Amino acid sequence: MSIVQHRFIQNRDDFFRVLAEELVRAQRFEAEVPGLPLFSSLRRQLEAITQWTADGRQPTKDERRSIQMGPLIVRELNPAPTDELEDFGSRIQELEFYLKHWRDDAGWQSLDDGDYEIFFPDDHAP
């Protein structure tokens, strides 16, 4: 059994911290590179996640399915031109992975990468 490694998010508090930090970065990148759809799309998705999870609200499965930040990062920032964009992309991808699975802290820590279903959260996550 091999447990999934979490680089940035160990628990729900980390999720909210990383979400807030990356929303600020997405807003800054969008302002620095106006007209680039990547950063405005990421900002809008991060804002949606913030709204869906405010005040302890549980995002619905359809809301979680609608987030598609990872493919944007892979398509637009691979390889990332700077270390900061590499870090940003990594954090965004982990945010999306956390959101798609949306488990409590114990469930998040117990994800097993030997279970193929974790790689298809749109189909198998609660």
Side-chain angles (χ1 to χ4, degrees):
M1 179 187 302
S2 184
I3 301 301
V4 175
Q5 298 298 307
H6 309 296
R7 292 179 54 204
F8 310 107
I9 302 172
Q10 300 299 317
N11 54 46
R12 190 67 49 94
D13 288 340
D14 287 347
F15 168 79
F16 286 115
R17 180 185 47 75
V18 172
L19 175 62
E21 291 169 355
E22 299 319 309
L23 176 55
V24 168
R25 263 208 291 197
Q27 291 166 334
R28 180 171 53 85
F29 291 147
E30 182 180 23
E32 289 173 357
V33 190
L36 184 65
L38 169 66
F39 296 120
S40 59
S41 176
L42 293 172
R43 180 206 27 93
R44 286 190 311 272
Q45 291 183 70
L46 291 166
E47 288 173 345
I49 295 166
T50 300
Q51 181 181 2
W52 297 334
T53 59
D55 301 320
R57 181 179 177 276
Q58 302 284 320
T60 68
K61 191 164 189 171
D62 285 340
E63 288 169 340
R64 295 186 334 247
R65 282 181 175 161
S66 72
I67 296 301
Q68 297 298 318
M69 298 184 297
L72 285 174
I73 294 292
V74 169
R75 186 179 71 227
E76 302 292 331
L77 292 179
N78 192 12
T82 67
D83 290 343
E84 183 180 20
L85 285 171
E86 176 70 30
D87 181 66
F88 175 72
S90 295
R91 289 170 185 267
I92 292 291
Q93 288 176 306
E94 192 163 314
L95 271 170
E96 181 174 352
F97 191 72
Y98 184 97
L99 177 77
K100 296 242 179 200
H101 286 281
W102 199 256
R103 300 184 180 214
D104 62 18
D105 291 348
W108 176 245
Q109 288 299 324
S110 68
L111 286 177
D112 179 356
D113 67 7
D115 180 358
Y116 80 95
E117 289 181 357
I118 71 161
F119 299 107
F120 302 98
D122 287 342
D123 298 330
H124 301 287

